[in-house]
Structures are given as C-alpha cells and as structure tokens.
Amino acid sequence: MQMHDPARDEQGARRGFLSKVMALAAGGLATLAPAGAGVWVLLDPLRRKSAAASFLRVTEIEAIPDDGVPRQFPIVTDRVDAWTGFPAEPVGAVYLRREKGSDVVQALSATCPHAGCFVEMEPAEHCFRCPCHNSSFTLDGGIVAPSPSPRPMDELECRIGHGGAVEVKWQNFFTGIAEKVARP
Ligand code: FES
C-alpha cells in the first residue's frame, strides 16, 4: 500500500501551478507578436528616437524616375541608446517622387499618421493604402476621405546635396492627432 506524502503532494501542486503560469506567459507573448510587418516601426520606440530630425542621405536623384510615381527607400542610420551603439540598420522608410522634368523631390514618411503602421503603395489604384485600418492617401500624400487617419501622410524635408544626393530630414511624428507634431 502506498503511503500518503503531504510534502510530495505540495511539491507536485507547486510544479503544476508554475507550468500554468509559464503557459499563460507564453500565450501572452504570442499575442503581442506583430500581426504584420507593417507595425514594426510602431513597436520599436528606440529606433524612432535614435534617428530623430537629422538629414540622411537616402539615394541619388537619378534613382527617382520623373514620372510622379512614388518609390520606396529605406532609411538607414546608426542607432544609439543609453548603453549601446548599433551599426547602421534600417529605422524606417520613405516614399520619394518627382514630377516630369523636375528636380524637386517630395518625401513622404511611410509611417501611417493614424497609428504607425507601414503605408503601402497600391499601383493599380494610384494611391497609398494602410493595411491596418484602411486609410487611403493620394500619391502626393493627401488624405482620401472617409479615413481613420486624422491627417495626410507626413511630408519630410528633402534637399539635393553634393553630386545629386537626395537627403531627407528623418523625423517621426505623434500619431492619432490632426496636427503634425514631431516627436522629441
Ligand atoms: S495605422 Fe494606418 S490606418 Fe490605422
């Protein structure tokens, strides 16, 4: 006949409790995983902070056809937080476009002003669309009503530097508000 051992029972109960806690934690983390590639910018505030308000070389003007159609380019820069410096890596993206015969480049942040998802081009429909809540924008960044986004796409300062380098002042802005307010 097997003897009842209260110490062993208690140990078993504790082990069962711990495995339940671990399972709940794992489930919680799984639900926090980004639902799509579009939200990665939103999920990494360090990336946003590191590259705030500086002109960065993005491409050359020849790489932007003068057909009025935006082209997407990554923003690549070094990143530094309180403890560590990181080598150059993508921190966001911009759409660049220019009109026929023009050397003026318009730069639009690819970050949706509604909640920070990644705005995508819809070439067939000649517009931008955000996959998260369906905000639409014209090719020059204008808002298409009705739209969850409270403002047009965020335009960024852009200049042509030495040798035709296209330099964009990379900034992030607060999302979800009608005013375009730069993050510090
Ligand atoms: S985040 Fe783009 S529409 Fe909501």
Side-chain angles (χ1 to χ4, degrees), residues 44-51 77-87 89 91:
D44 192 346
L46 278 180
R47 287 174 185 266
R48 292 171 167 238
K49 197 175 178 185
S50 62
T77 187
D78 295 337
R79 178 165 69 94
V80 179
D81 66 21
W83 304 278
T84 318
F86 298 87
E89 61 177 318
V91 294

Side-chain angles (χ1 to χ4, degrees), residues 112 114-117 130 132-135 148:
C112 182
H114 180 228
C117 291
C130 179
C132 288
H133 313 99
N134 240 3
S135 287

Side-chain angles (χ1 to χ4, degrees), residues 33-84:
V39 295
W40 69 270
V41 172
L42 179 69
L43 295 175
D44 192 346
L46 278 180
R47 287 174 185 266
R48 292 171 167 238
K49 197 175 178 185
S50 62
S54 49
F55 272 97
L56 299 171
R57 186 184 187 285
V58 176
T59 185
E60 276 126 37
I61 194 156
E62 296 82 46
I64 310 164
D66 64 343
D67 56 5
V69 177
R71 299 323 197 267
Q72 186 196 117
F73 294 88
I75 296 289
V76 179
T77 187
D78 295 337
R79 178 165 69 94
V80 179
D81 66 21
W83 304 278
T84 318

Side-chain angles (χ1 to χ4, degrees), residues 111-179:
T111 305
C112 182
H114 180 228
C117 291
F118 192 88
V119 175
E120 295 170 354
M121 272 274 294
E122 293 279 358
E125 295 173 45
H126 302 285
C127 70
F128 290 105
R129 181 157 293 125
C130 179
C132 288
H133 313 99
N134 240 3
S135 287
S136 295
F137 306 93
T138 56
L139 291 187
D140 61 357
I143 200 162
V144 177
S147 170
S149 177
R151 64 173 190 266
M153 289 173 74
D154 294 319
E155 190 160 350
L156 302 167
E157 282 182 55
C158 184
R159 68 187 184 196
I160 307 302
H162 187 68
V166 177
E167 298 168 347
V168 171
K169 187 175 181 182
W170 176 243
Q171 281 181 289
N172 283 293
F173 301 90
F174 287 103
T175 56
I177 55 175
E179 302 78 34

